[in-house]
Amino acid sequence: MSRRTTDGRRILTAFAWLTTKDWLLVIDRDPTEPATPLREARRIELAALLIASLLVGGAVVFHTRQLVARLAAEDRSRVAAEAQLAHSARLVSLGRMAAGVAHEINNPLAAIGELAGLMEDLIDDQFLASSPHARLFQDNVRKIQQHVDRTRGITHRMLGFARRMEPHQDMVNVNDIANEALSFIEREASFRQVELIRQLDADLPMIKSDRAQLQQVFLNLLNNALDAVEDGGRIMVTSRAVADSVLVMVEDDGCGIPEELHDRIFDPFFTTKAPGEGSGLGLSICHTIMKGLGGSLSFDSAPGEGTVFRVRLPRTPV
Amino acid sequence: MALRVLVVDDEEDFLRSIVMRIELRGYEAHGVTSGDEALQYLKENPAAVDVVLLDIKMPGLGGLETLREIKSCCPSIEVIVVTGHASQEFSRRGRELGAFDYLIKPIRLEAILERIEAARRHHRGADADG
Protein backbone atom coordinates (compact mmCIF):
# COMPACT_ATOMS: atom_id res chain seq x y z
CA MET A 1 0.00 0.00 0.00
CA SER A 2 1.04 3.60 -0.45
CA ARG A 3 1.04 6.05 2.39
CA ARG A 4 2.54 9.34 3.41
CA THR A 5 5.02 9.92 6.21
CA THR A 6 4.68 12.70 8.71
CA ASP A 7 7.10 14.84 6.68
CA GLY A 8 4.90 14.37 3.60
CA ARG A 9 7.03 11.84 1.65
CA ARG A 10 5.19 9.12 -0.16
CA ILE A 11 6.34 5.64 0.71
CA LEU A 12 5.32 2.13 -0.22
CA THR A 13 4.50 -0.15 2.67
CA ALA A 14 4.05 -3.93 2.66
CA PHE A 15 3.23 -6.06 5.67
CA ALA A 16 2.48 -9.66 6.60
CA TRP A 17 1.78 -11.58 9.78
CA LEU A 18 4.52 -13.99 10.78
CA THR A 19 3.15 -17.46 11.20
CA THR A 20 5.41 -18.64 14.03
CA LYS A 21 5.27 -15.50 16.10
CA ASP A 22 2.60 -13.06 16.84
CA TRP A 23 4.43 -10.37 14.82
CA LEU A 24 3.59 -8.16 11.89
CA LEU A 25 6.39 -7.66 9.40
CA VAL A 26 6.22 -4.15 7.94
CA ILE A 27 8.49 -3.07 5.11
CA ASP A 28 8.61 0.57 4.06
CA ARG A 29 10.26 1.58 0.86
CA ASP A 30 10.86 4.94 -0.71
CA PRO A 31 9.45 4.51 -4.26
CA THR A 32 12.15 6.75 -5.70
CA GLU A 33 15.01 4.64 -4.25
CA PRO A 34 15.13 1.76 -6.73
CA ALA A 35 15.29 4.24 -9.71
CA THR A 36 18.45 6.07 -8.52
CA PRO A 37 21.05 3.40 -9.43
CA LEU A 38 19.25 2.84 -12.73
CA ARG A 39 19.51 6.54 -13.60
CA GLU A 40 23.15 6.46 -12.58
CA ALA A 41 23.68 3.46 -14.81
CA ARG A 42 21.91 5.24 -17.66
CA ARG A 43 24.05 8.32 -17.18
CA ILE A 44 27.21 6.20 -17.20
CA GLU A 45 25.96 4.38 -20.27
CA LEU A 46 25.22 7.67 -22.04
CA ALA A 47 28.60 9.09 -21.08
CA ALA A 48 30.30 5.92 -22.28
CA LEU A 49 28.37 6.08 -25.52
CA LEU A 50 29.22 9.73 -25.96
CA ILE A 51 32.92 9.14 -25.28
CA ALA A 52 32.92 6.13 -27.59
CA SER A 53 31.11 8.14 -30.28
CA LEU A 54 33.61 10.98 -29.91
CA LEU A 55 36.51 8.56 -30.09
CA VAL A 56 35.10 6.79 -33.13
CA GLY A 57 34.15 10.11 -34.73
CA GLY A 58 37.60 11.54 -34.05
CA ALA A 59 39.28 8.43 -35.45
CA VAL A 60 37.07 8.57 -38.53
CA VAL A 61 37.81 12.27 -39.06
CA PHE A 62 41.55 11.70 -38.50
CA HIS A 63 41.74 8.77 -40.89
CA THR A 64 39.52 10.48 -43.44
CA ARG A 65 41.74 13.53 -43.38
CA GLN A 66 44.81 11.37 -43.77
CA LEU A 67 43.18 9.53 -46.64
CA VAL A 68 42.11 12.77 -48.31
CA ALA A 69 45.59 14.24 -47.87
CA ARG A 70 47.14 11.10 -49.34
CA LEU A 71 44.67 11.10 -52.21
CA ALA A 72 45.35 14.80 -52.81
CA ALA A 73 49.12 14.17 -52.78
CA GLU A 74 48.70 11.23 -55.15
CA ASP A 75 46.47 13.37 -57.32
CA ARG A 76 49.09 16.13 -57.40
CA SER A 77 51.80 13.59 -58.28
CA ARG A 78 49.60 12.13 -61.00
CA VAL A 79 48.83 15.56 -62.39
CA ALA A 80 52.54 16.41 -62.33
CA ALA A 81 53.43 13.11 -63.99
CA GLU A 82 50.73 13.57 -66.63
CA ALA A 83 51.85 17.14 -67.21
CA GLN A 84 55.45 15.94 -67.52
CA LEU A 85 54.36 13.25 -69.96
CA ALA A 86 52.27 15.67 -72.00
CA HIS A 87 55.10 18.18 -71.96
CA SER A 88 57.60 15.55 -73.06
CA ALA A 89 55.26 14.42 -75.81
CA ARG A 90 54.88 18.02 -76.97
CA LEU A 91 58.65 18.45 -76.93
CA VAL A 92 59.15 15.29 -78.97
CA SER A 93 56.58 16.52 -81.51
CA LEU A 94 58.20 19.92 -81.51
CA GLY A 95 61.60 18.28 -81.94
CA ARG A 96 60.39 16.28 -84.93
CA MET A 97 58.87 19.37 -86.47
CA ALA A 98 62.06 21.33 -85.81
CA ALA A 99 64.11 18.57 -87.43
CA GLY A 100 61.80 18.51 -90.46
CA VAL A 101 61.99 22.27 -90.87
CA ALA A 102 65.76 22.31 -90.38
CA HIS A 103 66.29 19.59 -93.00
CA GLU A 104 64.07 21.39 -95.49
CA ILE A 105 65.90 24.67 -94.91
CA ASN A 106 69.43 23.27 -94.91
CA ASN A 107 69.48 22.24 -98.56
CA PRO A 108 68.33 25.55 -100.13
CA LEU A 109 70.49 27.36 -97.58
CA ALA A 110 73.51 25.37 -98.71
CA ALA A 111 72.72 26.27 -102.33
CA ILE A 112 72.43 29.97 -101.43
CA GLY A 113 75.75 29.78 -99.57
CA GLU A 114 77.56 28.09 -102.44
CA LEU A 115 76.07 30.42 -105.08
CA ALA A 116 77.14 33.45 -103.05
CA GLY A 117 80.52 31.85 -102.38
CA LEU A 118 81.05 31.29 -106.09
CA MET A 119 80.12 34.91 -106.83
CA GLU A 120 82.69 36.06 -104.29
CA ASP A 121 85.30 33.70 -105.74
CA LEU A 122 84.74 35.16 -109.22
CA ILE A 123 85.08 38.79 -108.14
CA ASP A 124 88.52 39.99 -109.24
CA ASP A 125 90.29 43.36 -109.55
CA GLN A 126 89.05 43.82 -113.09
CA PHE A 127 85.46 43.35 -111.93
CA LEU A 128 85.95 45.73 -108.99
CA ALA A 129 87.26 48.38 -111.37
CA SER A 130 84.46 47.87 -113.85
CA SER A 131 81.67 49.57 -111.94
CA PRO A 132 81.21 52.03 -109.08
CA HIS A 133 78.79 49.48 -107.58
CA ALA A 134 81.18 46.53 -107.76
CA ARG A 135 82.44 47.02 -104.20
CA LEU A 136 78.83 47.10 -102.93
CA PHE A 137 78.19 43.92 -104.92
CA GLN A 138 81.18 42.26 -103.24
CA ASP A 139 80.09 43.41 -99.77
CA ASN A 140 76.57 42.11 -100.32
CA VAL A 141 77.79 38.74 -101.52
CA ARG A 142 79.85 38.45 -98.32
CA LYS A 143 76.86 39.51 -96.25
CA ILE A 144 74.71 36.83 -97.89
CA GLN A 145 77.25 34.25 -96.75
CA GLN A 146 77.30 35.73 -93.25
CA HIS A 147 73.52 35.45 -93.09
CA VAL A 148 73.74 31.88 -94.32
CA ASP A 149 76.22 31.20 -91.49
CA ARG A 150 73.82 32.78 -89.02
CA THR A 151 70.86 30.76 -90.28
CA ARG A 152 73.02 27.64 -90.23
CA GLY A 153 73.58 28.28 -86.53
CA ILE A 154 69.81 28.35 -86.03
CA THR A 155 69.05 25.20 -88.03
CA HIS A 156 71.92 23.30 -86.42
CA ARG A 157 70.63 24.33 -83.01
CA MET A 158 67.13 23.19 -84.03
CA LEU A 159 68.55 19.85 -85.10
CA GLY A 160 70.48 19.56 -81.87
CA PHE A 161 67.30 20.32 -79.95
CA ALA A 162 65.38 17.71 -81.96
CA ARG A 163 68.05 15.07 -81.34
CA ARG A 164 68.09 15.74 -77.65
CA MET A 165 64.34 15.32 -77.15
CA GLU A 166 64.65 11.55 -76.90
CA PRO A 167 65.36 10.46 -73.29
CA HIS A 168 69.03 9.67 -73.24
CA GLN A 169 71.63 9.33 -70.50
CA ASP A 170 75.09 10.31 -71.55
CA MET A 171 78.26 11.82 -70.18
CA VAL A 172 77.61 15.54 -70.26
CA ASN A 173 79.43 18.74 -69.48
CA VAL A 174 76.98 20.73 -67.38
CA ASN A 175 78.72 24.01 -68.27
CA ASP A 176 78.04 23.40 -71.98
CA ILE A 177 74.36 22.81 -71.25
CA ALA A 178 74.16 25.95 -69.11
CA ASN A 179 75.86 27.96 -71.87
CA GLU A 180 73.42 26.61 -74.45
CA ALA A 181 70.45 27.53 -72.27
CA LEU A 182 71.96 31.00 -71.72
CA SER A 183 72.32 31.45 -75.48
CA PHE A 184 68.52 31.07 -75.80
CA ILE A 185 67.85 34.07 -73.53
CA GLU A 186 70.83 36.23 -74.53
CA ARG A 187 68.86 38.17 -77.10
CA GLU A 188 66.00 39.15 -74.80
CA ALA A 189 68.45 39.88 -71.98
CA SER A 190 70.36 42.17 -74.30
CA PHE A 191 67.17 44.03 -75.32
CA ARG A 192 66.33 44.59 -71.67
CA GLN A 193 69.91 45.36 -70.59
CA VAL A 194 69.82 42.43 -68.20
CA GLU A 195 73.38 41.42 -67.32
CA LEU A 196 74.10 37.71 -67.70
CA ILE A 197 77.03 36.66 -65.53
CA ARG A 198 78.69 33.26 -65.94
CA GLN A 199 80.77 31.85 -63.12
CA LEU A 200 81.26 28.37 -64.48
CA ASP A 201 83.93 26.16 -62.98
CA ALA A 202 86.20 25.18 -65.88
CA ASP A 203 87.26 22.01 -64.02
CA LEU A 204 83.72 20.74 -63.55
CA PRO A 205 83.68 16.92 -63.88
CA MET A 206 81.60 15.29 -66.61
CA ILE A 207 78.50 13.59 -65.23
CA LYS A 208 76.10 10.98 -66.54
CA SER A 209 72.75 12.66 -67.12
CA ASP A 210 70.07 13.55 -69.65
CA ARG A 211 71.23 16.53 -71.66
CA ALA A 212 67.78 17.49 -73.00
CA GLN A 213 66.10 17.34 -69.63
CA LEU A 214 68.87 19.36 -68.03
CA GLN A 215 68.60 21.95 -70.76
CA GLN A 216 64.86 22.11 -70.10
CA VAL A 217 65.51 22.71 -66.39
CA PHE A 218 68.14 25.41 -66.98
CA LEU A 219 66.05 27.12 -69.64
CA ASN A 220 63.04 27.16 -67.36
CA LEU A 221 65.00 28.61 -64.45
CA LEU A 222 66.59 31.23 -66.71
CA ASN A 223 63.23 32.22 -68.21
CA ASN A 224 61.78 32.57 -64.71
CA ALA A 225 64.77 34.67 -63.68
CA LEU A 226 64.32 36.85 -66.75
CA ASP A 227 60.64 37.32 -65.85
CA ALA A 228 61.55 38.19 -62.27
CA VAL A 229 64.20 40.86 -62.91
CA GLU A 230 63.58 44.45 -63.85
CA ASP A 231 65.15 45.87 -67.02
CA GLY A 232 68.82 46.45 -66.22
CA GLY A 233 68.81 43.62 -63.67
CA ARG A 234 71.30 40.82 -63.20
CA ILE A 235 71.20 37.03 -63.62
CA MET A 236 74.16 34.95 -62.53
CA VAL A 237 74.77 31.31 -63.36
CA THR A 238 77.35 29.56 -61.21
CA SER A 239 78.60 25.99 -61.42
CA ARG A 240 80.92 24.13 -59.11
CA ALA A 241 81.75 20.66 -57.94
CA VAL A 242 80.89 19.84 -54.35
CA ALA A 243 81.59 16.60 -52.45
CA ASP A 244 79.49 14.10 -54.40
CA SER A 245 77.53 16.46 -56.64
CA VAL A 246 77.70 19.08 -59.31
CA LEU A 247 75.92 22.23 -58.23
CA VAL A 248 74.49 24.82 -60.60
CA MET A 249 72.95 27.99 -59.21
CA VAL A 250 70.74 30.40 -61.12
CA GLU A 251 70.57 33.63 -59.17
CA ASP A 252 68.65 36.80 -59.95
CA ASP A 253 68.20 40.16 -58.26
CA GLY A 254 64.51 40.28 -59.11
CA CYS A 255 61.30 40.61 -57.14
CA GLY A 256 61.79 37.42 -55.09
CA ILE A 257 59.15 34.95 -53.94
CA PRO A 258 56.94 35.89 -50.95
CA GLU A 259 57.56 33.55 -48.01
CA GLU A 260 53.95 32.42 -47.82
CA LEU A 261 54.29 30.97 -51.34
CA HIS A 262 57.49 28.99 -50.69
CA ASP A 263 55.60 25.78 -49.88
CA ARG A 264 53.59 25.89 -53.08
CA ILE A 265 56.23 26.90 -55.59
CA PHE A 266 56.77 23.34 -56.92
CA ASP A 267 53.04 22.51 -56.98
CA PRO A 268 51.63 21.82 -60.44
CA PHE A 269 49.57 24.69 -61.91
CA PHE A 270 50.81 27.11 -59.26
CA THR A 271 51.96 30.38 -60.79
CA THR A 272 52.51 33.95 -59.71
CA LYS A 273 52.46 35.14 -63.30
CA ALA A 274 49.48 36.88 -64.88
CA PRO A 275 46.83 34.61 -66.45
CA GLY A 276 48.01 33.35 -69.81
CA GLU A 277 51.68 34.11 -69.09
CA GLY A 278 52.60 30.99 -67.18
CA SER A 279 51.17 27.47 -67.06
CA GLY A 280 52.37 26.93 -63.51
CA LEU A 281 53.99 23.72 -64.67
CA GLY A 282 57.56 24.85 -65.28
CA LEU A 283 59.00 24.49 -61.80
CA SER A 284 56.84 21.47 -61.05
CA ILE A 285 58.24 19.73 -64.12
CA CYS A 286 61.79 20.84 -63.26
CA HIS A 287 61.35 19.42 -59.77
CA THR A 288 60.09 16.11 -61.20
CA ILE A 289 62.94 16.00 -63.73
CA MET A 290 65.57 16.62 -61.07
CA LYS A 291 64.14 13.86 -58.87
CA GLY A 292 64.16 11.55 -61.91
CA LEU A 293 67.82 12.36 -62.52
CA GLY A 294 68.68 11.52 -58.93
CA GLY A 295 69.33 15.15 -58.07
CA SER A 296 67.38 17.93 -56.44
CA LEU A 297 66.05 21.41 -57.04
CA SER A 298 65.83 23.87 -54.16
CA PHE A 299 65.73 27.61 -53.71
CA ASP A 300 66.19 30.55 -51.38
CA SER A 301 64.37 33.78 -51.93
CA ALA A 302 63.92 37.13 -50.24
CA PRO A 303 61.14 39.40 -51.53
CA GLY A 304 62.63 42.47 -53.18
CA GLU A 305 66.16 41.06 -53.11
CA GLY A 306 66.08 38.11 -55.47
CA THR A 307 66.03 34.35 -55.73
CA VAL A 308 68.61 31.63 -56.11
CA PHE A 309 67.67 28.21 -57.46
CA ARG A 310 70.08 25.34 -56.80
CA VAL A 311 70.28 22.41 -59.18
CA ARG A 312 72.16 19.54 -57.56
CA LEU A 313 73.19 16.60 -59.72
CA PRO A 314 74.85 13.38 -58.60
CA ARG A 315 78.48 13.32 -59.66
CA THR A 316 79.76 10.48 -61.82
CA PRO A 317 83.45 10.86 -62.56
CA VAL A 318 84.60 9.75 -66.01
CA MET B 1 98.80 15.51 -108.80
CA ALA B 2 95.65 17.43 -107.99
CA LEU B 3 93.16 15.66 -105.78
CA ARG B 4 90.14 14.46 -107.74
CA VAL B 5 86.75 15.02 -106.18
CA LEU B 6 83.41 13.63 -107.32
CA VAL B 7 80.40 15.56 -105.97
CA VAL B 8 77.07 13.71 -105.86
CA ASP B 9 74.08 15.96 -105.11
CA ASP B 10 70.61 16.35 -106.66
CA GLU B 11 70.49 20.09 -105.84
CA GLU B 12 71.87 21.47 -109.09
CA ASP B 13 72.58 25.03 -107.93
CA PHE B 14 74.61 23.65 -105.05
CA LEU B 15 76.32 21.09 -107.28
CA ARG B 16 77.37 23.51 -110.03
CA SER B 17 78.62 26.11 -107.58
CA ILE B 18 80.61 23.77 -105.36
CA VAL B 19 82.21 21.99 -108.33
CA MET B 20 83.37 25.33 -109.77
CA ARG B 21 84.63 26.54 -106.41
CA ILE B 22 86.56 23.34 -105.76
CA GLU B 23 88.15 23.67 -109.21
CA LEU B 24 89.03 27.32 -108.51
CA ARG B 25 91.05 26.05 -105.53
CA GLY B 26 93.18 23.81 -107.68
CA TYR B 27 91.42 20.47 -107.33
CA GLU B 28 89.86 18.43 -110.08
CA ALA B 29 86.10 18.15 -109.61
CA HIS B 30 83.22 16.47 -111.35
CA GLY B 31 79.55 16.67 -110.42
CA VAL B 32 76.68 14.19 -110.84
CA THR B 33 73.10 14.50 -109.65
CA SER B 34 72.32 10.96 -108.50
CA GLY B 35 73.76 7.84 -106.94
CA ASP B 36 73.20 5.90 -110.16
CA GLU B 37 75.16 8.48 -112.13
CA ALA B 38 77.94 8.37 -109.57
CA LEU B 39 78.29 4.58 -109.86
CA GLN B 40 78.18 4.83 -113.64
CA TYR B 41 80.92 7.49 -113.57
CA LEU B 42 83.09 5.36 -111.27
CA LYS B 43 82.54 2.33 -113.47
CA GLU B 44 83.68 4.23 -116.52
CA ASN B 45 86.52 6.08 -114.72
CA PRO B 46 87.62 3.68 -111.99
CA ALA B 47 90.86 5.52 -111.21
CA ALA B 48 89.61 9.07 -111.71
CA VAL B 49 88.36 9.81 -108.19
CA ASP B 50 90.11 10.15 -104.82
CA VAL B 51 87.29 11.57 -102.70
CA VAL B 52 83.50 11.56 -103.11
CA LEU B 53 81.28 14.22 -101.53
CA LEU B 54 77.96 12.44 -101.21
CA ASP B 55 74.47 13.71 -100.45
CA ILE B 56 72.10 11.39 -98.57
CA LYS B 57 68.58 12.31 -99.63
CA MET B 58 68.45 11.79 -103.38
CA PRO B 59 65.85 10.42 -105.73
CA GLY B 60 66.63 6.95 -107.05
CA LEU B 61 69.57 5.26 -105.39
CA GLY B 62 69.86 6.86 -101.93
CA GLY B 63 73.08 8.15 -100.42
CA LEU B 64 73.67 5.23 -98.04
CA GLU B 65 73.09 2.64 -100.80
CA THR B 66 75.44 4.61 -103.06
CA LEU B 67 78.01 4.67 -100.27
CA ARG B 68 77.76 0.91 -99.85
CA GLU B 69 78.20 0.37 -103.61
CA ILE B 70 81.17 2.75 -103.83
CA LYS B 71 82.91 1.07 -100.90
CA SER B 72 82.18 -2.29 -102.48
CA CYS B 73 83.53 -1.46 -105.95
CA CYS B 74 86.24 1.09 -105.02
CA PRO B 75 87.30 0.66 -101.38
CA SER B 76 90.24 3.03 -101.77
CA ILE B 77 87.98 6.01 -102.46
CA GLU B 78 87.25 8.10 -99.37
CA VAL B 79 83.61 9.18 -99.08
CA ILE B 80 82.54 12.27 -97.14
CA VAL B 81 78.81 12.59 -96.61
CA VAL B 82 77.62 16.20 -97.03
CA THR B 83 73.91 16.41 -96.30
CA GLY B 84 71.19 18.64 -94.92
CA HIS B 85 69.76 15.60 -93.17
CA ALA B 86 71.33 15.64 -89.72
CA SER B 87 70.24 12.29 -88.38
CA GLN B 88 72.34 10.49 -85.79
CA GLU B 89 71.07 7.22 -87.20
CA PHE B 90 72.21 8.12 -90.74
CA SER B 91 75.50 9.40 -89.36
CA ARG B 92 76.09 6.12 -87.50
CA ARG B 93 75.12 3.99 -90.50
CA GLY B 94 77.24 6.14 -92.80
CA ARG B 95 80.31 5.59 -90.65
CA GLU B 96 79.54 1.88 -90.36
CA LEU B 97 79.47 1.69 -94.15
CA GLY B 98 82.90 3.31 -94.29
CA ALA B 99 82.22 7.05 -94.70
CA PHE B 100 85.25 9.12 -93.69
CA ASP B 101 83.11 11.91 -92.23
CA TYR B 102 79.53 13.13 -92.01
CA LEU B 103 79.10 16.89 -92.54
CA ILE B 104 75.88 18.86 -92.18
CA LYS B 105 74.87 21.45 -94.78
CA PRO B 106 75.13 24.35 -95.04
CA ILE B 107 78.85 24.28 -94.41
CA ARG B 108 81.62 26.64 -95.55
CA LEU B 109 83.66 25.28 -98.44
CA GLU B 110 86.86 25.78 -96.43
CA ALA B 111 85.55 23.31 -93.83
CA ILE B 112 84.75 20.77 -96.56
CA LEU B 113 88.22 21.21 -98.12
CA GLU B 114 89.81 20.73 -94.71
CA ARG B 115 88.02 17.37 -94.40
CA ILE B 116 88.98 16.45 -97.98
CA GLU B 117 92.64 17.07 -97.08
CA ALA B 118 92.20 15.03 -93.90
CA ALA B 119 90.75 12.22 -96.03
CA ARG B 120 93.76 12.46 -98.32
CA ARG B 121 96.15 12.24 -95.34
CA HIS B 122 94.16 9.32 -93.96
CA HIS B 123 94.29 7.59 -97.34
CA ARG B 124 98.08 8.09 -97.61
CA GLY B 125 98.51 6.81 -94.05
CA ALA B 126 96.48 3.70 -94.90
CA ASP B 127 98.55 3.15 -98.06
CA ALA B 128 101.78 3.51 -96.08
CA ASP B 129 100.54 1.05 -93.48
CA GLY B 130 99.44 -1.35 -96.22
Side-chain angles (χ1 to χ4, degrees), chain A residues 30-311:
Chain A
D30 185 337
T32 60
E33 252 183 20
T36 307
L38 196 62
R39 254 188 232 139
E40 192 65 28
R42 279 189 186 149
R43 273 204 296 274
I44 291 169
E45 189 186 349
L46 273 173
L49 267 172
L50 191 67
I51 290 167
S53 301
L54 283 172
L55 281 174
V56 170
V60 167
V61 169
F62 177 72
H63 283 292
T64 308
R65 279 191 178 169
Q66 272 201 325
L67 198 66
V68 168
R70 206 169 64 209
L71 284 173
E74 279 172 9
D75 204 37
R76 279 199 298 275
S77 305
R78 186 182 53 78
V79 167
E82 282 176 1
Q84 163 73 19
L85 213 65
H87 193 72
S88 300
R90 275 199 299 276
L91 283 178
V92 170
S93 305
L94 191 64
R96 285 185 187 141
M97 197 183 78
V101 171
H103 291 150
E104 290 305 315
I105 291 174
N106 277 347
N107 282 316
L109 203 58
I112 293 167
E114 286 309 316
L115 288 164
L118 179 59
M119 281 194 277
E120 191 190 2
D121 288 352
L122 296 176
I123 292 172
D124 55 14
D125 292 342
Q126 189 188 350
F127 177 80
L128 289 174
S130 68
S131 160
H133 301 305
R135 192 66 67 179
L136 178 67
F137 183 90
Q138 186 183 38
D139 285 348
N140 284 358
V141 163
R142 283 180 182 154
K143 280 181 186 165
I144 289 171
Q145 290 177 88
Q146 285 165 10
H147 286 293
V148 167
D149 287 345
R150 196 173 131 207
T151 316
R152 176 180 57 210
I154 296 168
T155 60
H156 284 198
R157 205 160 61 190
M158 282 166 76
L159 285 164
F161 169 78
R163 256 201 308 277
R164 291 193 297 267
M165 283 309 101
E166 304 296 334
H168 184 65
Q169 290 261 331
D170 211 347
M171 295 308 292
V172 296
N173 182 332
V174 175
N175 286 345
D176 287 349
I177 303 172
N179 273 321
E180 272 178 20
L182 277 161
S183 75
F184 276 99
I185 67 157
E186 264 169 359
R187 200 169 173 79
E188 191 185 339
S190 157
F191 280 142
R192 294 179 45 201
Q193 279 105 43
V194 172
E195 189 186 2
L196 297 179
I197 303 167
R198 293 169 168 84
Q199 291 202 335
L200 305 175
D201 179 359
D203 297 326
L204 208 62
M206 300 276 278
I207 60 165
K208 191 166 190 183
S209 198
D210 188 310
R211 187 183 186 84
Q213 290 195 319
L214 275 184
Q215 193 180 61
Q216 192 182 345
V217 171
F218 291 158
L219 198 54
N220 207 287
L221 296 179
L222 287 169
N223 275 327
N224 282 353
L226 205 54
D227 287 341
V229 296
E230 299 285 336
D231 290 1
R234 183 180 59 84
I235 296 172
M236 184 160 73
V237 179
T238 311
S239 70
R240 66 167 183 262
V242 289
D244 57 350
S245 312
V246 164
L247 181 69
V248 179
M249 291 189 286
V250 177
E251 190 173 358
D252 67 66
D253 63 352
C255 54
I257 303 164
E259 201 169 340
E260 63 270 22
L261 304 182
H262 284 197
D263 290 343
R264 300 169 60 199
I265 210 77
F266 294 126
D267 285 356
F269 304 113
F270 177 77
T271 181
T272 56
K273 295 177 186 172
E277 285 185 16
S279 65
L281 286 172
L283 282 175
S284 165
I285 287 170
C286 290
H287 196 245
T288 310
I289 287 175
M290 290 313 301
K291 276 204 292 188
L293 294 176
S296 65
L297 177 63
S298 58
F299 71 98
D300 275 321
S301 184
E305 290 178 25
T307 304
V308 54
F309 275 92
R310 290 187 199 82
V311 175

Side-chain angles (χ1 to χ4, degrees), chain B residues 38-89:
Chain B
L39 294 179
Q40 185 64 32
Y41 182 82
L42 289 174
K43 196 174 164 188
E44 290 168 5
N45 310 276
V49 176
D50 298 305
V51 176
V52 174
L53 299 183
L54 180 64
D55 191 15
I56 286 289
K57 290 269 182 181
M58 291 185 292
L61 196 64
L64 290 177
E65 289 78 11
T66 306
L67 169 60
R68 186 184 292 113
E69 293 295 325
I70 292 173
K71 281 292 173 186
S72 166
C73 76
C74 321
S76 66
I77 293 177
E78 296 292 354
V79 180
I80 298 172
V81 174
V82 184
T83 176
H85 197 83
S87 149
Q88 280 188 319
E89 174 63 14

